[in-house]
Amino acid sequence: MKKILATFLIGFTLSISLAQGQDNESENPLQSGSKALQFKISNNFNLSSFAGSTISYKRHVSEYRAHRIGVKLNNKFSMRDHTNNDINSDNSRLELNMGMEYTWMNYTNPDSNIKFYYGYGPGIDLGYTWSTADFVSQERTSQSSTFGISGIGYAGVEWFFQSSMSLHAEYLATVRVDHYRSKNNAETNVVRNKVNNTEFQLGGNGVRFGLSVYF
């Protein structure tokens, strides 16, 4: 589904940007009101969202500044009826994951052929998992939740090979705190196991390459 969505978005935005580029080849795309969809270029030249797994969107408020929003959604529900040696078990599982990052971008030399930029901002991630298993007439339920907040910083360069399309590469670093909770219940609703865990992470995420399509 993600590949279909990405293909549709690429085709739609490319058609618009190419049409605009033919009429406005001399215009600087980094101006107030300019918008772009950004795609990450992977090892096999597959395209995905640049910031966030679902969509990455950028809007300029001036030629020197822009706002970038990345959204990710990953939801799943599954059911399984398993029989082994005359023993039946029913399993159900629900996974909900969502996140968003919002950053402010700053361009230091918007009139140059290769434009340098940097950005910073917050991010948030939420996750919830619920599963139940009915095994030998005993039902067990487990639940877990994750809440994470992060500070994001990056710096990179952008090169326009066409008036409405550019390639860019950037270094990314994050400071992140995640809190994880889980519990397992027996059929009697007695809590059998409960976990609370907090993790702190600080580090770089390497270099990522991307394609921006302006419209």
Side-chain angles (χ1 to χ4, degrees), residues 184-204:
N184 299 319
N185 296 346
E187 188 177 21
T188 58
N189 292 325
V190 176
V191 177
R192 301 172 60 92
N193 185 27
K194 189 174 183 179
V195 176
N196 282 281
N197 186 41
T198 301
E199 294 183 352
F200 175 80
Q201 302 177 40
L202 171 64

Side-chain angles (χ1 to χ4, degrees), residues 9-19 164-165 211 213:
L9 291 175
I10 292 172
F12 177 75
T13 52
L14 280 176
S15 62
I16 294 177
S17 62
L18 287 173
S164 55
M165 289 187 289
L211 167 71
V213 181

